[in-house]
């Protein structure tokens, strides 16, 4: 019944028997009565393999009366106790006391300490094991995993690579190396490391899951989903993979599928507060506020100190303009965890900061200076930039924004300038006035769609908030519906009129389900729909478009100062931003020339601010809507706003954001050459 030297050790350490309990057995040496002890060990191993853990515990306690200095017996007792859910640490500690010079004993005690959450004690034991045996790859690997749990990716990477120097076929060490590189934002290296792990274990669900996480960080969510799907085909019941797949779907705007994915993960791990918090975040983005709050409350019922749940509740409060409540909830998250980056960041987004907030700057700066995963430092740098901008320290603000974008660019796919130019030229060449304005069947229904388009940060949220304050207009937020469908149509053979009609029907069903009965217009304010305007026009001939224009320097700087999904790869580099803006203007000039005035209305952001009444009147007339004073009181409108501008749209009209670029004129670089037509 005793395992072979190369068999997996029955203690569950994931090492071979000869490198674990078998090593201890050999190193401790013969005890009194070696023949009798050998027979005893054989019987004990039999109980171990048969899973008769209580009997094994009783037999071991009896054996230890006769052999109290036998490290292997203490080791086996630790295994028997752990398998029964009892505390094994005292038994493993006795094994160390009996064999203090043996690295394997310290490693096994460290493993037990780590599993019980006593991470600092586990760290010390792993280090002791490495002092005794510097080539103990297991200690290096497990210490690397512990450093990951402690959120110390640099230390984790160093330990993982030390293990790989000892043996480059250690799967766990390779997986830890890839994860540490991923956390550090070193994505090219993480990609290579994850592929190496996959070669070591091509049928391993964990390796495919890790590769999917790398793809997702690189801004390749479709490739990530394919990897997660492969992981689930190999091992369907891994909650973490379902959650990662849901995260990828969320990044694509496929929120209902993401919600379903988190539901599958929760079926496997119903008591995981982190999963409930992730589900709450996704429900919030899907504008299902009551359900989102319920999921967050469930997380808090399981773990009252869940910072993630407090952050979601704070975000929900901010969505509805309850900024004081949001501040309290963010503050509570910081009380629970002073290093909660999401809470520190959230505080900067729910009000304008003043001199009294200077201590916040010092705290956040100290936190950002610590070794952090790249994604967390990036968030903090954006927040610090915003705070310093509020305080008028523009050089300091830009330095932090530049650092945030440096990290973001390193962690995102390269922006394909030539690819965007080709796409725009293909659209211009294939979607001319004749095709755009051809007579097609219309969908007759109770509502008509309005698309508010433009560059990111051009005032689209403000325009939507104004329009949604009219009783006949429903603000549907940003809907990720058209992108993939339009790309397929542009890149391939195009769509027949029947297919376009069906696409329009699907879209209306998509938004109509949420619109209240009295709404005759539904606003979709995804700014980048300007790329797909032609396909939308063909699929929905009754649609109208409102184009928000803003000074390109203000627009591009505002984009540079915000954290966007990795898929928006152009946002992290000023030259990329300038190129994107020029392509946007080229395409919008095409749409303006090709479409009749009753279909497309241009609204300069600066006019909306300085001539609000006239601009609002123009927009309402464009939509054949009667004047309603509530559109001028948009800051009082109670509705959920989940965009980055949710604080701004709940303020009275202010002009301080116009000409903001002048504070940063010395840093503009390629943006300085951008001007609006006619300037």
């Amino acid at each position: 019944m005793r395992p072979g030297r190369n068999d997996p050790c029955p203690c569950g350490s994931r090492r071979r028997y000869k490198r674990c309990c078998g090593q201890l057995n050999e190193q401790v040496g013969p005890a009194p009565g070696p023949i009798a002890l050998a027979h005893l060990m054989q019987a004990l191993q039999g109980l171990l393999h048969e899973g008769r853990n209580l009997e094994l515990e009783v037999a071991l306690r009896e054996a230890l009366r006769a052999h109290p200095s036998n490290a292997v017996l203490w080791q086996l007792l630790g295994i028997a106790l752990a398998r029964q859910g009892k505390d094994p640490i005292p038994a493993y500690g006795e094994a160390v006391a009996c064999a203090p010079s043996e690295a394997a004993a310290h490693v096994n005690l460290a493993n037990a300490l780590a599993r019980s959450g006593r991470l600092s004690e586990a760290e010390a034991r792993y280090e002791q094991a490495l002092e005794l045996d510097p080539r103990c790859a297991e200690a290096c690997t497990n210490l690397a995993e512990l450093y990951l749990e402690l959120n110390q990716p640099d230390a984790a990477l160093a330990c993982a690579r030390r293990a790989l120097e000892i043996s480059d076929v250690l799967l766990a060490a390779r997986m830890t190396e890839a994860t540490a590189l991923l956390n550090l934002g070193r994505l090219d290296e993480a990609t290579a490391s994850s592929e190496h792990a996959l070669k070591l274990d091509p049928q391993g669900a964990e390796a495919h899951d890790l590769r999917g996480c790398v793809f997702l960080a690189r801004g390749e969510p479709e490739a990530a989903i394919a990897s997660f799907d492969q992981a689930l085909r190999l091992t369907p019941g891994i909650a973490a993979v379902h959650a990662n797949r849901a995260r990828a779907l969320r990044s694509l705007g496929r929120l209902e599928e993401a919600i379903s994915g988190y539901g599958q993960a929760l079926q496997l791990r119903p008591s995981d507060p982190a999963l409930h918090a992730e589900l709450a975040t996704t429900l919030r983005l899907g504008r299902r506020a009551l359900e989102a709050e319920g999921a967050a409350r469930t997380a808090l019922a399981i773990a009252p100190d869940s910072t993630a749940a407090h952050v979601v509740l704070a975000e929900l409060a901010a969505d509805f303009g309850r900024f004081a409540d949001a501040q309290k909830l963010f503050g509570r998250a910081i009380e629970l965890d002073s290093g909660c980056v999401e809470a520190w960041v959230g505080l900067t987004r729910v009000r304008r900061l003043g001199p009294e907030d200077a201590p916040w700057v010092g705290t956040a700066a100290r936190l950002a200076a610590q070794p952090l995963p790249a994604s967390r430092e990036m968030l903090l740098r954006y927040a610090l930039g915003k705070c310093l901008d509020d305080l008028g320290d523009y050089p300091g603000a830009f330095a932090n924004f530049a650092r945030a974008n440096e990290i973001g660019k390193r962690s995102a796919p390269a922006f394909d300038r030539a690819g965007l130019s080709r796409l725009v030229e293909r659209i211009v060449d294939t979607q001319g006035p004749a095709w755009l304005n051809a007579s097609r069947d219309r969908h007759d229904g109770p509502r008509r769609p309005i698309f508010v388009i433009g560059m990111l940060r051009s005032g689209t949220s403000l325009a939507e908030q104004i329009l949604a304050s009219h009783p006949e207009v429903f603000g549907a937020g940003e809907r990720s519906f058209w992108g993939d469908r339009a790309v397929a149509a542009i890149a391939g053979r195009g769509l027949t009129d029947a297919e376009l009609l069906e696409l329009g029907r699907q879209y209306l069903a998509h938004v109509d389900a949420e619109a209240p009965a009295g709404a005759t217009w539904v606003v979709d304010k995804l700014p980048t729909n300007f790329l797909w305007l032609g396909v939308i026009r063909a699929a929905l001939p009754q649609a109208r478009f409102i184009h928000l224009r803003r000074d390109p320097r203000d627009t591009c700087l505002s984009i540079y100062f915000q954290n966007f999904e990795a898929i928006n790869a152009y946002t992290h580099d000023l030259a990329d931003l300038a190129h994107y803006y020029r392509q946007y203007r080229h395409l919008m000039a095409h749409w303006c020339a090709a479409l009749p005035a009753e279909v497309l209305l241009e609204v300069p952001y600066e006019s909306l601010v300085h001539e609000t009444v006239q601009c609002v009147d123009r927009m309402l007339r464009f939509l054949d809507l009667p004047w309603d004073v509530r559109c001028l009181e948009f800051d009082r409108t109670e509705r959920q706003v989940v965009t980055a501008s949710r604080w701004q749209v709940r303020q009275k009209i202010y002009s301080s954001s116009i000409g903001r670029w002048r504070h940063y004129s010395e840093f503009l670089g390629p943006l300085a050459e951008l001007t609006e037509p006619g300037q």
Side-chain angles (χ1 to χ4, degrees), residues 355-404:
E356 69 278 6
D357 297 300
W360 182 94
V361 181
T363 303
R366 286 191 295 272
L367 189 58
Q370 297 174 4
L372 288 171
S375 59
R376 297 175 72 76
E377 183 190 349
M378 181 177 71
L379 289 175
L380 267 178
R381 294 291 178 184
Y382 278 118
L384 275 167
K386 194 270 183 188
C387 184
L388 291 170
D389 179 84
D390 284 352
L391 296 174
D393 180 0
Y394 303 117
F398 193 85
N400 278 281
F401 287 132
R403 172 60 181 161

Side-chain angles (χ1 to χ4, degrees), residues 373-564:
S375 59
R376 297 175 72 76
E377 183 190 349
M378 181 177 71
L379 289 175
L380 267 178
R381 294 291 178 184
Y382 278 118
L384 275 167
K386 194 270 183 188
C387 184
L388 291 170
D389 179 84
D390 284 352
L391 296 174
D393 180 0
Y394 303 117
F398 193 85
N400 278 281
F401 287 132
R403 172 60 181 161
N405 281 285
E406 175 190 334
I407 298 169
K409 186 174 182 179
R410 193 174 67 217
S411 305
F415 174 55
D416 184 0
R417 295 186 193 179
L420 177 64
S421 298
R422 286 193 299 271
L423 173 64
V424 170
E425 287 306 319
R426 183 173 179 82
I427 292 171
V428 170
D429 290 343
T430 59
Q431 299 181 15
W435 184 81
L436 284 169
N437 301 312
S439 178
R440 295 184 178 92
D441 289 338
R442 301 161 62 96
H443 293 276
D444 293 322
R447 300 175 189 88
R448 295 174 64 186
I450 321 164
F451 294 88
V452 177
I453 57 174
M455 286 285 286
L456 299 172
R457 308 297 294 166
S458 62
T460 55
S461 291
L462 176 60
E464 183 202 27
Q465 181 77 352
I466 289 170
L467 292 171
S469 301
H470 194 286
E472 295 184 43
V473 179
F474 171 66
E478 298 181 350
R479 298 300 171 125
S480 300
F481 180 88
W482 295 98
D484 292 341
R485 297 166 175 87
V487 167
I490 294 164
R493 60 176 177 79
L495 296 172
T496 66
D497 285 355
E499 289 170 329
L500 287 165
L501 186 69
E502 173 59 18
L503 196 57
R505 186 199 64 76
Q506 291 174 13
Y507 176 79
L508 290 176
H510 177 68
V511 296
D512 277 355
E514 297 179 26
T520 57
W521 289 94
V522 176
V523 184
D524 183 332
K525 64 132 309 216
L526 185 66
T528 50
N529 275 331
F530 77 84
L531 286 163
W532 325 123
L533 188 154
V535 173
I536 298 171
R537 160 75 170 159
L540 295 166
Q542 72 272 39
R544 294 190 186 175
F545 304 89
I546 296 178
H547 172 216
L548 266 290
R549 289 186 358 233
R550 185 183 179 190
D551 183 288
R553 294 155 296 188
D554 281 337
T555 301
C556 292
L557 270 185
S558 188
I559 292 170
Y560 192 68
F561 292 170
Q562 291 289 330
N563 180 34
F564 292 100

Side-chain angles (χ1 to χ4, degrees), residues 560-636:
Y560 192 68
F561 292 170
Q562 291 289 330
N563 180 34
F564 292 100
E565 293 277 358
I567 199 168
N568 296 302
Y570 69 93
T571 64
H572 299 298
D573 183 278
L574 296 179
D576 288 341
L577 267 164
H579 178 84
Y580 188 95
Y581 185 86
R582 289 190 177 97
Q583 293 302 311
Y584 144 77
R585 283 303 310 165
H586 175 40
L587 186 54
M588 283 310 309
H590 169 71
W591 298 137
C592 290
L595 291 172
E598 64 268 19
V599 172
L600 173 61
L601 174 68
E602 290 208 311
V603 177
Y605 173 77
E606 293 78 7
S607 298
L608 187 58
V609 170
H610 290 307
E611 303 167 3
T612 306
V613 175
Q614 297 92 321
C615 279
V616 171
D617 183 57
R618 282 178 61 212
M619 288 193 292
L620 294 180
R621 288 176 181 273
F622 176 69
L623 300 175
D624 303 317
L625 288 172
W627 172 260
D628 196 296
V629 72
R630 282 170 285 191
C631 292
L632 297 180
E633 300 168 345
F634 59 86
D635 53 303
R636 302 181 188 176

Side-chain angles (χ1 to χ4, degrees), residues 280-300:
T281 294
T282 311
L283 288 163
R284 170 187 162 255
L285 293 174
R287 299 159 64 92
R288 292 162 60 172
L290 288 177
E291 294 169 81
E293 182 176 356
R297 299 287 181 197
T298 300
L300 287 176

Side-chain angles (χ1 to χ4, degrees), residues 206 208-210 212-213 216 221 224-225 228 232 238-251 261-262 265 275 278:
E206 289 184 355
H208 285 280
D209 178 48
L210 176 58
C213 290
L216 187 54
I225 291 169
F228 296 138
L232 291 171
I238 304 179
V241 182
H242 283 287
N244 288 333
R245 186 177 186 276
R247 187 160 53 96
L249 290 164
R250 186 171 71 195
S251 75
Y262 282 119
L275 287 178
E278 283 290 307

Side-chain angles (χ1 to χ4, degrees), residues 161-184:
R161 287 187 164 168
R162 182 176 172 183
L164 290 168
E165 287 174 4
I166 300 168
S167 173
D168 67 355
V169 295
L170 291 171
L171 176 62
R174 188 66 71 182
M175 297 273 288
T176 302
E177 177 195 49
T179 304
L181 289 165
L182 178 61
N183 288 348
L184 290 166

Side-chain angles (χ1 to χ4, degrees), residues 266-351:
L266 282 165
Q267 287 179 3
L268 296 164
R269 286 209 314 249
S271 298
D272 187 330
L275 287 178
H276 286 284
E278 283 290 307
L279 173 61
T281 294
T282 311
L283 288 163
R284 170 187 162 255
L285 293 174
R287 299 159 64 92
R288 292 162 60 172
L290 288 177
E291 294 169 81
E293 182 176 356
R297 299 287 181 197
T298 300
L300 287 176
I302 298 167
D305 59 350
S306 168
T307 56
H310 281 91
V311 167
V312 176
L313 290 172
E315 298 284 6
L316 278 167
D319 290 347
F320 286 95
R322 303 195 308 273
F323 298 118
D325 292 341
Q327 288 182 60
K328 291 178 183 177
L329 287 160
F330 283 132
R332 176 57 182 153
I334 291 169
E335 288 175 11
L336 293 167
D337 176 8
S338 61
C340 181
V341 170
E342 292 77 10
W344 284 111
V345 172
L347 280 173
T348 69
R349 297 198 303 248
V350 294
R351 63 185 174 90

